[in-house]
Amino acid sequence: MKNKTGRYLETEQFYINPQTDVAFMLGVAHVLYNEGLYDKKFIETYCLGFEDFIKYVQGETKDKVEKTPEWASAIC
């Protein structure tokens, strides 16, 4: 849906396929982790299972699929 702000800023809107939000989030998580853009202290303090999650995102588990933004874009 276009609005006045979008037209004024000349933005481009990208739509994702329904029910593909998890793939999108995994692609984002991949970038945040690999570029060191996540809050390491928060993860250490409040999260359980982060190591297993990152192994999955990095493709180091059974499925051997790295959850890159390129992988996610083909789904979304």
Side-chain angles (χ1 to χ4, degrees):
M1 169 155 84
K2 296 258 182 182
N3 60 31
K4 289 180 184 180
T5 305
R7 283 191 290 277
Y8 176 77
L9 297 173
E10 299 178 7
T11 60
E12 186 175 356
Q13 184 169 350
F14 295 97
Y15 298 93
I16 67 170
N17 293 324
Q19 300 181 9
T20 62
D21 53 335
V22 173
F24 178 81
M25 289 184 282
L26 288 170
V28 170
H30 185 276
V31 170
L32 293 176
Y33 179 76
N34 286 304
E35 295 185 11
L37 300 173
Y38 65 102
D39 187 341
K40 295 170 184 75
K41 185 68 176 166
F42 179 88
I43 297 295
E44 291 170 6
T45 305
Y46 297 106
C47 296
L48 296 173
F50 182 74
E51 295 80 15
D52 293 334
F53 172 71
I54 287 303
K55 285 180 185 177
Y56 178 70
V57 169
Q58 297 291 82
E60 298 171 1
T61 57
K62 193 179 204 178
D63 71 352
K64 303 288 186 211
V65 176
E66 191 172 0
K67 310 310 185 277
T68 63
E70 295 76 20
W71 167 84
S73 69
I75 296 168
C76 297

